[in-house]
Amino acid sequence: MDEADVVSIAELLDERRYLLDVACWMLGSAGEAECVVDEVYRRWYGLSGAARREIARPRSWLARSTGRSCLTRLALVERSDDTAFEAGVGAEVSRVLLDALACLSPDERARASLRVRRSDPVAPWEHDALVRAVGRACLDGDAGHLVSLLCPDVTAFFDGGGKVRALSRPVHGDRQVAHSLLTLLARRPRTALTAQSVNGRTGLVARYGRQVAAVITLDIADHRVIQVWIVLNPDKLRSWNQP
């Protein structure tokens, strides 16, 4: 697990909002700001884990990168016509951003799904009770209780879509997964965690202020959590944040 990328929901959203504000102020366009910030996060994930760990203040690094990207774009506008500029931006933005699930090989994904299918299914009430217990343990910061609810070889997948500074690879093991969840869902002002229906079964929804910041679903086998899926990608959460 890359400790440099383990941060709370509040920090994730504040950081992205800050970068968007910087880019929008420099470029005067919310749409252009989104493109710049996405580029900057893609550059962050282009670094090796060791390189990211050497950066003492990630937000400062991201802010400097945002400023440089904005200045580069402004210079391009001055040197070329709008059509050429838009074509260059489109080519850059069209690169596919890798999300957390892309870190798994097809074979790894197949094995994970097969294990869930082969395990004894749990009744809806048991699934609901276990999800709510995980939520309470996270709210209470109770690492011991949370570990007891997880399989020893549990795996957590973080889908940030390359658009927030989330974990870039899956996390394995009950203590490691518990640590990552407790850090991500740490109590902060304006944060909340509730159990509610997600795709037809009970899941966890984390909010920062009025914004849904994460949607979490759990796969359960043999009366414990075997897989955790955390969606942090702002694009995938748009439907949760409709007015």
Side-chain angles (χ1 to χ4, degrees):
M1 179 170 59
D2 190 348
E3 298 290 344
D5 286 334
V6 183
V7 296
S8 69
I9 287 286
E11 185 173 348
L12 286 180
L13 267 66
D14 279 345
E15 177 181 274
R16 183 173 173 84
R17 182 71 263 166
Y18 173 72
L19 299 178
L20 287 170
D21 286 346
V22 169
C24 192
W25 176 76
M26 294 185 70
L27 299 175
S29 166
E32 288 292 322
E34 287 274 358
C35 291
V36 165
V37 172
D38 288 350
E39 286 178 15
V40 169
Y41 276 115
R42 178 176 58 76
R43 199 171 304 145
W44 170 264
Y45 284 109
L47 301 174
S48 67
R52 290 199 299 270
R53 286 192 292 272
E54 290 179 358
I55 298 173
R57 300 176 62 188
R59 181 180 290 204
S60 295
W61 185 95
L62 292 165
R64 288 194 299 271
S65 296
T66 298
R68 285 194 293 268
S69 293
C70 289
L71 290 174
T72 299
R73 285 175 180 248
L74 291 171
L76 285 173
V77 170
E78 293 178 357
R79 293 199 305 265
S80 62
D81 59 59
D82 291 341
T83 301
F85 174 70
E86 290 297 334
V89 173
E92 180 69 16
V93 175
S94 64
R95 297 181 183 181
V96 178
L97 294 173
L98 297 177
D99 59 23
L101 296 181
C103 295
L104 293 177
S105 68
D107 183 55
E108 286 176 314
R109 296 185 196 183
R111 287 202 305 271
S113 297
L114 183 61
R115 182 177 180 187
V116 172
R117 289 199 301 269
R118 285 179 173 175
S119 302
D120 292 333
V122 298
W125 66 265
E126 183 178 356
H127 179 96
D128 179 89
L130 191 51
V131 170
R132 292 178 185 277
V134 168
R136 285 194 299 272
C138 290
L139 288 174
D140 294 340
D142 191 339
H145 186 208
L146 183 56
V147 168
S148 73
L149 301 171
L150 308 175
C151 288
D153 56 351
V154 62
T155 300
F157 304 91
F158 294 77
D159 177 9
K163 297 194 172 187
V164 292
R165 191 162 49 90
L167 286 164
S168 57
R169 293 191 61 83
V171 177
H172 304 284
D174 52 5
R175 295 186 182 279
Q176 292 80 1
V177 169
H179 171 74
S180 64
L181 286 175
L182 290 173
T183 302
L184 179 72
L185 302 172
R187 280 194 173 184
R188 295 286 189 278
R190 302 176 59 209
T191 60
L193 181 66
T194 58
Q196 63 187 85
S197 179
V198 179
N199 296 328
R201 62 178 186 173
T202 304
L204 296 171
V205 177
R207 289 178 171 82
Y208 182 57
R210 295 184 177 181
Q211 182 177 356
V212 171
V215 173
I216 304 168
T217 56
L218 309 175
D219 290 330
I220 296 170
D222 304 320
H223 314 294
R224 288 188 181 182
V225 176
I226 191 171
Q227 289 175 169
V228 184
W229 305 84
I230 303 111
V231 176
L232 297 157
N233 185 341
D235 291 346
K236 293 184 179 180
L237 297 175
R238 289 189 194 279
S239 62
W240 286 84
N241 287 305
Q242 295 293 333

